[in-house]
Amino acid sequence: MVTVARILARRVALLVPLMLGIVLFVFLVMRFSDVDPASAFFQGANPTPQQLHDFREENGLLDPLPVRYVAFVGDLLHGDMGTSALTRAPVVDQVTTALPLTLQLTFLGLGIAVVLSLAGGVTAAIYRDRLPDQIIRVVSLTGIAAPGFWLALLMIQYLAVDLGWFPTGGYINPADSFTGWLKTMTLPAFALSLPVAAQLTRIVRTAVVEELDKDYVRTAIGSGLPPRVVVGRNVLRNALINPLTVLGLRVGYLLGGAVVIETIFSLPGMGKLMIDAVKNGDPAVVQGVVLTTATGFVVVNLVIDILYLLVNPRLREAT
């Protein structure tokens, strides 16, 4: 237990310079972009040069970059992401309003991807080079080649417009109607998750096949243990390391893919918030969304590191 705590403490300590680096990168990209915060704040108001100068001076935009970066980090530590140039509302309020929907979509898609990839990958490994394996291989390769936005459009056309099983877009809060929420989230979650599920299926299949070929599996089955017990108790536990690695990386894809999927299905999440901010020239909101998404990606990878330790005790001994 002490070893696990020490490993986790080391992982958390590494997050500090990583997050500072992410904040610095976003800060520099936004400062060197063509969008002027002062012009964005006064958009449509025809400000005078003096008004622009006064705004830049009041908000520290004329200070040297190192001074502005330190002030920026200090504001973030106090929960201040700036003010929207369009709505004049704090960016943190807009982010906290949109973030729950994006998290719902991301983790619902993640759950679908995990279930489909485990079922498909294990089945393909057990029936390797036979008909089920061949079918799953073709389906997974097709899923890898199909982009999420194309799947979303197909689902809207056939499942929403032609058959009328699901709405074409919009969002219903689960507190108001869980059934309505499920209907509005099913198509976006599947469109987001299917390419990830297809990739993970191939990885799970390869990892399980390699594990099934090891001597301890043949010994366990030869001693009379049912194959399903050996697969469920030993093979899967040892084979999940590589899929977990890829899963942690693909969460970033899910978060990024949510931008497109939310726009297609008119979901008021982080993706739509960012698209609207880019179109309307609202740099503070773009900055807030990017930082929040990057932070989420880092936190998810920390969780994946913890899962490594739980799935494979040998990693604790080697670390």
Side-chain angles (χ1 to χ4, degrees):
M1 195 69 182
V2 176
T3 303
V4 175
R6 186 169 62 250
I7 295 172
L8 292 180
R10 188 159 63 241
R11 295 284 197 277
V12 172
L14 291 174
L15 292 183
V16 176
L18 177 61
M19 286 305 304
L20 288 175
I22 291 173
V23 171
L24 176 61
F25 176 77
V26 174
F27 173 82
L28 291 177
V29 169
M30 296 304 299
R31 295 311 173 276
F32 288 107
S33 69
D34 294 332
V35 180
D36 179 18
S39 301
F41 185 83
F42 288 105
Q43 56 183 317
N46 296 321
T48 64
Q50 185 61 43
Q51 287 178 311
L52 292 174
H53 177 80
D54 291 343
F55 178 86
R56 295 187 180 106
E57 188 173 22
E58 290 173 4
N59 291 273
L61 299 178
L62 301 179
D63 295 335
L65 277 180
V67 175
R68 293 166 60 186
Y69 174 69
V70 172
F72 179 60
V73 173
D75 290 340
L76 289 178
L77 292 176
H78 289 88
D80 183 5
M81 292 184 174
T83 303
S84 169
L86 185 65
T87 65
R88 303 296 192 269
V91 173
V92 67
D93 291 345
Q94 296 180 267
V95 169
T96 53
T97 300
L99 183 59
L101 189 148
T102 299
L103 292 178
Q104 292 170 27
L105 177 59
T106 299
F107 285 104
L108 185 58
L110 183 64
I112 293 172
V114 169
V115 171
L116 292 179
S117 61
L118 283 178
V122 172
T123 302
I126 293 175
Y127 295 95
R128 58 177 145 173
D129 299 328
R130 286 181 276 176
L131 183 61
D133 184 24
Q134 301 298 333
I135 293 174
I136 292 173
R137 181 178 301 174
V138 171
V139 172
S140 61
L141 290 176
T142 302
I144 293 173
F149 72 88
W150 181 74
L151 292 173
L153 296 175
L154 285 182
M155 289 179 181
I156 290 175
Q157 179 62 47
Y158 292 108
L159 298 180
V161 176
D162 294 346
L163 298 177
W165 291 352
F166 301 95
T168 57
Y171 175 73
I172 297 177
N173 195 300
D176 298 330
S177 172
F178 180 78
T179 303
W181 172 82
L182 195 58
K183 284 185 177 181
T184 57
M185 296 296 286
T186 297
L187 291 187
F190 269 96
L192 186 64
S193 66
L194 288 181
V196 176
Q199 293 180 352
L200 285 176
T201 297
R202 303 302 306 155
I203 296 169
V204 170
R205 189 251 184 209
T206 301
V208 173
V209 165
E210 292 177 353
E211 206 65 29
L212 287 173
D213 287 338
K214 292 185 177 179
D215 292 338
Y216 81 88
V217 175
R218 289 190 290 267
T219 301
I221 294 177
S223 64
L225 286 176
R228 65 177 180 275
V229 174
V230 177
V231 171
R233 184 181 299 173
N234 303 106
V235 173
L236 272 181
R237 185 184 181 110
N238 294 328
L240 283 180
I241 303 301
N242 288 337
L244 276 176
T245 305
V246 178
L247 182 62
L249 297 175
R250 300 315 291 171
V251 169
Y253 165 84
L254 291 173
L255 288 170
V259 173
V260 178
I261 298 300
E262 287 174 3
T263 303
I264 292 174
F265 287 94
S266 300
L267 297 174
M270 296 281 281
K272 188 174 184 302
L273 179 64
M274 183 171 183
I275 293 296
D276 291 343
V278 171
K279 290 192 300 184
N280 297 320
D282 200 341
V285 175
V286 174
Q287 184 175 261
V289 172
V290 172
L291 282 174
T292 303
T293 303
T295 302
F297 182 77
V298 170
V299 171
V300 167
N301 277 273
L302 175 62
V303 174
I304 295 297
D305 283 344
I306 296 173
L307 290 178
Y308 287 162
L309 301 177
L310 297 177
V311 169
N312 194 341
R314 289 176 297 180
L315 293 178
R316 297 198 293 265
E317 300 171 359
T319 307

